[in-house]
């Protein structure tokens, strides 16, 4: 019986494609439980990455020391005071408007006047921490597996985030926030890799979009948490405690069977695959056959000589170099505009809680649009559409004065980014050749993080000129959309495997332009 099933399985041509996937199934009860559990890490990811809106909200202040020589002069929002005889001195003491927020990091450490950019620096440190976390934990995950780094990142995220709520000095708060961000970057990259390694290839596009939904829900709950706490330290505690419960992953989430097989641990992989097969009602015999087929594939691969590839291969040939630059610009725009707009929403007139909630809720239609179009329309058209929607909406902000209309247009800008961000990720995975695909997508992610590090300074430029943030954020997606016109379509195309394939892929389109 086993011998016959083995022959039948190979006869229908499943083994050469992906025997491991056939053994555990593409999507079943086992996958659903793990997928839902893993996606919960995106709640803290959103809470921590987007927290700056409520940690450092716009705050009105009054200079109360030293006293002005002109008793009729208003000291509201003044950083310097004329104490008489033409002598100007910096204000040394302030009174804050605490009507909405009882305490923020601005009121806690006087992050105003010549210290105002320190609030933006806290957000830049957060995004830099996420970038470092992506790099450190991705390397760790390749060495020691997916599960252990995920557990470490979750624990560190909870401890560092909770401890930052008790920081007596701004500098210590910054260090703890950075550590929390590093761990947040770790949970993002490891959880996504683990998810992609257990689900079937036909589900990866859809699940990579659905996986983003808890992030949107986290964004939506941010204003509620802030409304209930009203202090920066209360908010930090509230968003850090839930991560403790995610440590239950230890008993729910398995190690990646693919990683175990690559690292030469077939017995441990077999145990996980058998559990998956049982839960998904797949014959146990398939596991044995898959392990044998995998051994044969590994043996075949070892007989082939493999060149070592690195980041420089993306820039060695003209066509691939241009495609890489255009894609990196789009990643940069998505990272900068999404996180910049999320912060800019808090700078607009109106109720800050309602503004953020509305902008977060409006991103759900964007996600639904991507889900509907992802298998029907090319990635490139979706990316161009999202960029144009975002860019035009933001530029229109400069032409209207009605506060509600401005909020609606800024929210539309976020909707566009909610469409573009997952799409540029998927497009990158298709246009880069197999030999440097991970490097290309990783470089794109770094580009997005750099954009998000710069974004806070643009989001708060409204204090200089109100039109600066929407114009800068609006021009970015328009430029990104224009560069997409030079990129090749990837829908229904055979994906490039080698550097030579990638160089020839879409070459005619670039030459035409």
């Amino acid at each position: 019986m086993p011998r016959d099933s083995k022959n039948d399985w190979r006869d229908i041509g499943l083994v050469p494609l992906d025997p491991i996937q056939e053994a555990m199934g593409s999507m079943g009860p086992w996958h659903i439980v793990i997928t839902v559990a893993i996606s919960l890490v995106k709640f803290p990811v959103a809470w921590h990455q987007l927290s700056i809106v409520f940690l450092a909200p716009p705050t009105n202040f009054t200079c109360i020391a030293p006293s002005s020589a002109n008793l009729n002069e208003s000291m509201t929002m003044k950083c310097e005071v004329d104490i008489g005889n033409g002598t100007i001195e910096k204000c040394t003491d302030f009174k804050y408007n605490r009507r909405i927020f009882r305490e923020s990091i601005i009121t806690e450490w006087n992050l105003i006047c010549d210290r105002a950019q320190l609030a933006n620096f806290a957000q830049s440190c957060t995004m830099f921490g996420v970038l470092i976390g992506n790099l450190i934990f991705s390397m760790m995950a390749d060495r020691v597996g997916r599960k252990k780094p995920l557990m470490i990142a979750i624990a560190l995220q909870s401890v560092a985030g909770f401890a930052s709520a008790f920081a007596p000095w701004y500098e210590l708060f910054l260090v703890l926030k950075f550590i929390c961000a590093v761990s947040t970057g770790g949970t993002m990259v490891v959880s996504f890799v683990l998810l992609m390694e257990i689900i079937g290839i036909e589900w990866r596009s859809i699940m990579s979009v659905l996986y983003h939904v808890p992030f949107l829900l986290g964004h939506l709950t941010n204003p509620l948490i802030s409304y209930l706490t009203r202090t920066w330290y209360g908010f930090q505690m509230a968003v850090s405690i839930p991560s403790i419960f995610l440590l239950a992953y230890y008993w729910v989430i398995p190690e990646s069977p693919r990683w175990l097989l690559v690292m030469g641990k077939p017995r441990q992989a077999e145990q996980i695959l058998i559990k998956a097969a049982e839960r998904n009602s797949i014959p146990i015999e398939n596991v044995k056959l898959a392990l044998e087929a995998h051994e044969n594939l590994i043996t075949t691969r070892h007989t082939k000589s493999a060149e070592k590839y690195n980041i420089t291969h993306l820039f060695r040939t003209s066509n691939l170099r241009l495609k890489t630059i255009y894609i990196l610009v789009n990643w940069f725009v998505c990272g900068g505009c999404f996180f910049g707009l999320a912060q800019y929403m808090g700078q607009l007139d109106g109720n800050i809680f309602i503004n953020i909630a509305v902008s977060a809720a409006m991103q759900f239609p964007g996600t639904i649009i991507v889900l509907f179009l992802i298998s029907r329309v090319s990635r490139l058209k979706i990316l161009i559409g999202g960029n144009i929607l975002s860019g035009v909406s933001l530029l229109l902000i400069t032409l209207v004065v009605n506060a509600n209309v401005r909020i609606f247009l800024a929210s539309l800008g976020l909707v566009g980014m909610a469409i573009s961000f997952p799409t540029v990720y998927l497009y990158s995975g298709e246009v880069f050749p197999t030999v440097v695909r991970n490097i290309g997508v990783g470089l794109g992610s770094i580009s997005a993080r750099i954009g998000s590090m710069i974004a806070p300074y643009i989001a708060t430029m409204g204090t200089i000129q109100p039109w600066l943030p929407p114009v800068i954020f609006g021009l970015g997606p328009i430029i990104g959309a224009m560069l997409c016109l030079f990129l090749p379509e990837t829908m229904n195309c055979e994906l490039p495997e080698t550097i030579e394939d990638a160089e020839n892929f879409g070459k005619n389109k670039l030459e035409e332009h």
Side-chain angles (χ1 to χ4, degrees):
M1 177 71 178
R3 174 65 65 182
D4 292 339
S5 64
K6 180 177 178 179
N7 291 335
D8 292 342
W9 201 29
R10 286 176 174 168
D11 287 342
I12 61 176
L14 291 175
V15 175
L17 295 175
D18 193 342
I20 304 305
Q21 200 67 61
E22 291 298 328
M24 60 181 172
S26 294
M27 181 60 70
W30 182 77
H31 297 88
I32 292 171
V33 169
I34 295 171
T35 299
V36 171
I38 289 177
S39 68
L40 295 180
V41 304
K42 298 291 278 186
F43 275 97
V45 166
W47 291 336
H48 288 291
Q49 281 193 309
L50 302 170
S51 62
I52 194 65
V53 181
F54 298 110
L55 295 180
T59 306
N60 290 330
F61 62 87
T62 303
C63 173
I64 58 176
S67 299
S68 172
N70 184 358
L71 299 178
N72 295 323
E73 184 183 4
S74 172
M75 290 291 101
T76 303
M77 305 298 284
K78 290 289 181 66
C79 298
E80 296 177 333
V81 59
D82 184 352
I83 62 173
N85 299 322
T87 304
I88 306 295
E89 286 192 8
K90 289 184 178 180
C91 290
T92 55
D93 198 9
F94 303 91
K95 181 181 178 181
Y96 295 98
N97 184 337
R98 301 176 189 269
R99 186 174 59 86
I100 300 174
F101 295 94
R102 293 197 302 274
E103 197 79 81
S104 68
I105 64 171
I106 290 175
T107 60
E108 183 78 37
W109 293 299
N110 289 330
L111 305 185
I112 54 175
C113 297
D114 55 353
R115 288 168 58 84
Q117 292 302 331
L118 291 179
N120 289 332
F121 186 65
Q123 179 66 357
S124 294
C125 275
T126 297
M127 290 305 176
F128 183 61
V130 170
L131 168 58
I132 298 299
N134 288 161
L135 298 174
I136 291 175
F137 280 91
S138 61
M139 290 187 289
M140 192 187 300
D142 285 339
R143 288 177 178 271
V144 301
R146 318 308 192 202
K147 187 173 180 177
K148 288 179 183 176
L150 184 58
M151 293 294 101
I152 293 170
I154 290 170
L156 191 60
Q157 181 187 62
S158 185
V159 172
F162 191 79
S164 67
F166 299 92
W169 314 291
Y170 170 78
E171 291 77 13
L172 180 58
F173 169 79
L174 211 60
V175 170
L176 291 171
K177 197 87 171 89
F178 177 78
I179 295 172
C180 180
V182 170
S183 57
T184 299
T187 64
M188 290 166 61
V189 67
V190 179
S191 60
F192 187 79
V193 168
L194 184 54
L195 178 67
M196 291 296 107
E197 287 180 341
I198 65 168
I199 62 175
I201 190 169
E202 65 271 29
W203 285 91
R204 287 176 188 168
S205 294
I206 294 174
M207 291 311 300
S208 65
V209 177
L210 286 177
Y211 174 70
H212 189 63
V213 170
F215 181 91
L216 301 182
L217 291 172
H219 190 186
L220 185 61
T221 53
N222 252 1
L224 176 62
I225 296 169
S226 179
Y227 179 80
L228 295 174
T229 56
R230 300 292 182 129
T231 61
W232 71 270
Y233 47 84
F235 182 89
Q236 275 299 113
M237 286 190 279
V239 299
S240 300
I241 291 173
S243 294
I244 295 172
F245 298 102
L246 296 182
L247 292 174
Y249 280 177
Y250 185 81
W251 296 278
V252 179
I253 307 296
E255 182 53 87
S256 167
R258 294 183 185 277
W259 181 84
L260 289 169
L261 287 169
V262 169
M263 299 305 290
K265 299 179 180 180
R267 292 192 175 221
Q268 294 177 38
E270 183 180 10
Q271 293 174 358
I272 295 170
L273 290 173
I274 288 174
K275 281 184 182 179
E278 288 174 345
R279 288 292 303 276
N280 293 335
S281 302
I282 293 173
I284 302 299
E285 293 89 347
N286 285 14
V287 175
K288 301 286 186 186
L289 301 177
L291 292 173
E292 288 180 25
H294 181 79
E295 280 296 318
N296 294 335
L297 287 173
I298 292 296
T299 304
T300 304
R301 285 170 185 165
H302 280 318
T303 60
K304 298 177 181 178
S305 59
E307 182 185 349
K308 295 289 183 182
Y309 292 93
N310 56 52
I311 196 171
T312 63
H313 284 81
L314 291 169
F315 300 94
R316 291 185 182 181
T317 54
S318 59
N319 181 26
L320 182 55
R321 178 168 57 247
L322 287 174
K323 284 190 293 189
T324 300
I325 292 170
Y326 297 161
I327 293 167
L328 292 183
V329 169
N330 272 278
W331 274 95
F332 178 85
V333 166
C334 286
C337 287
F338 181 84
F339 290 102
L341 283 175
Q343 186 173 350
Y344 177 65
M345 292 299 301
Q347 307 288 321
L348 293 174
D349 294 335
N351 186 307
I352 187 172
F353 304 110
I354 294 176
N355 288 356
I356 302 301
V358 167
S359 66
M362 284 183 64
Q363 291 175 56
F364 285 94
T367 303
I368 293 170
I369 289 170
V370 173
L371 273 175
F372 179 77
L373 296 178
I374 206 73
S375 57
R376 296 174 173 84
V377 182
S378 76
R379 318 286 196 236
L380 212 51
K381 289 178 181 175
I382 300 173
L383 181 57
I384 292 172
N387 280 351
I388 291 176
L389 173 64
S390 186
V392 172
S393 300
L394 294 171
L395 291 175
L396 285 175
I397 290 177
T398 61
L399 303 178
V400 297
V401 292
N402 185 282
N404 292 330
V405 176
R406 289 167 67 90
I407 291 164
F408 175 75
L409 289 172
S411 299
L412 270 185
L414 268 174
V415 172
M417 287 297 99
I419 294 171
S420 296
F421 222 145
T423 308
V424 73
Y425 194 103
L426 291 172
Y427 180 78
S428 300
E430 293 175 337
V431 77
F432 287 121
T434 302
V435 292
V436 286
R437 185 162 292 137
N438 283 340
I439 295 172
V441 174
L443 188 60
S445 182
I446 290 172
S447 183
R449 298 296 156 222
I450 293 172
S452 64
M453 288 164 61
I454 297 170
Y457 302 98
I458 301 173
T460 54
M461 277 185 179
T463 55
I464 303 171
Q465 286 291 340
W467 54 267
L468 277 174
V471 166
I472 296 173
F473 285 137
L475 288 176
I478 297 294
I479 293 170
M482 290 171 63
L483 292 179
C484 286
L485 298 175
F486 298 92
L487 292 169
E489 298 285 2
T490 56
M491 192 176 188
N492 300 324
C493 292
E494 186 176 340
L495 300 186
E497 296 284 340
T498 65
I499 296 294
E500 185 180 359
D501 291 341
E503 177 62 16
N504 295 326
F505 189 57
K507 197 165 189 176
N508 292 337
K509 187 170 184 179
L510 277 168
E511 287 176 349
E512 286 171 9
H513 289 84

